[in-house]
Amino acid sequence: MGRKSTIHRLAPETKSYIEAMLATGAQTLDELIADLQERFPAEARAGGLPSRSALHRYGSKLDRRLAAIKASTEAARMISEHAGDSQDARSEALTALVQTELFEAILNLQEADDPDHDAGERVGMLSAAAKNIATLTRSSVNLKKFQAEVAEAARKKAFAEAAQQAAETAKQQGLSKTGVEALRAAILGAL
């Protein structure tokens, strides 16, 4: 494994500043380097500030992460706007989205030869992902159970309303009380 990026070795304050500046895109890389040299002169003198290429690599990774967060947020917003919530369809869609993202992240982690993560870190990240997947799977199972209960309750309600309507119509048409009860029992028996 390669060594850690110079950005990961910086003081947290410096790293946070770099991340904020890269995220806003307010400066070119050359402007950012000049700004860092002015803002953090002690680190600049010690040769601890990142190079232009290190900033570019880190900025590219940060851009991918921000794009993924933005896409997930947009997808969640669209799901929220377009999905009814009687069966918690939004949660189902979000669970599927998270499952997809976790699966892709695990594949990327397995395929990546990222010098920023040693083998121990990779194992720890996979372990954390596995724990989150287990939680997500339990959530998915509970969601399916909830959806089945909602569907069953809706089905029972529909049959009860149909039985009531049929009984009222049959009664108006002159069906005997025994006939109305038999009709109602036949409809409700379909449950």
Side-chain angles (χ1 to χ4, degrees), residues 28-65:
T28 66
L29 292 177
D30 292 327
E31 291 170 339
L32 179 55
I33 290 171
D35 182 29
L36 291 172
Q37 290 170 343
E38 183 181 313
R39 187 176 293 273
F40 304 103
E43 288 186 23
R45 282 191 299 276
L49 290 178
S51 66
R52 186 179 198 284
S53 60
L55 285 172
H56 178 71
R57 281 191 305 272
Y58 192 78
S60 295
K61 286 182 185 179
L62 187 62
D63 285 345
R64 284 193 302 273
R65 288 180 187 142

Side-chain angles (χ1 to χ4, degrees), residues 155-164 181-191:
R155 192 170 83 68
K156 285 181 179 180
K157 182 179 178 186
F159 272 110
E161 289 173 355
Q164 180 63 33
E181 290 303 317
L183 179 62
R184 175 180 278 214
I187 293 171
L188 291 176
L191 288 174

Side-chain angles (χ1 to χ4, degrees), residues 4-173:
K4 281 195 170 222
S5 164
T6 53
I7 294 176
H8 290 291
R9 290 182 269 159
L10 293 172
E13 174 190 337
T14 309
K15 184 179 174 187
S16 294
Y17 180 77
I18 290 172
E19 288 174 346
M21 296 312 293
L22 289 171
T24 61
Q27 298 175 327
T28 66
L29 292 177
D30 292 327
E31 291 170 339
L32 179 55
I33 290 171
D35 182 29
L36 291 172
Q37 290 170 343
E38 183 181 313
R39 187 176 293 273
F40 304 103
E43 288 186 23
R45 282 191 299 276
L49 290 178
S51 66
R52 186 179 198 284
S53 60
L55 285 172
H56 178 71
R57 281 191 305 272
Y58 192 78
S60 295
K61 286 182 185 179
L62 187 62
D63 285 345
R64 284 193 302 273
R65 288 180 187 142
L66 292 174
I69 291 168
K70 183 178 179 181
S72 296
T73 302
E74 181 64 18
R77 186 191 62 75
M78 288 172 53
I79 290 166
S80 177
E81 287 177 2
H82 296 9
D85 204 35
S86 64
Q87 288 192 339
D88 207 9
R90 288 181 287 195
S91 292
E92 181 178 24
L94 290 174
T95 299
L97 182 66
V98 170
Q99 287 171 331
T100 301
E101 290 296 319
L102 274 172
F103 183 72
E104 288 178 18
I106 288 171
L107 288 178
N108 290 338
L109 184 60
Q110 289 174 341
E111 294 171 359
D113 186 21
D114 190 351
D116 290 341
H117 302 293
D118 65 15
E121 275 185 290
R122 289 170 56 109
V123 169
M125 290 167 63
L126 285 171
S127 174
K131 179 183 174 196
N132 290 332
I133 289 168
T135 301
L136 189 60
T137 302
R138 278 191 304 276
S139 170
S140 180
V141 168
N142 289 336
L143 177 62
K144 297 291 185 211
K145 181 179 175 186
F146 171 74
Q147 289 173 328
E149 289 170 357
V150 168
E152 181 62 20
R155 192 170 83 68
K156 285 181 179 180
K157 182 179 178 186
F159 272 110
E161 289 173 355
Q164 180 63 33
Q165 183 64 36
E168 288 174 10
T169 302
K171 191 174 185 181
Q172 290 173 355
Q173 297 297 319

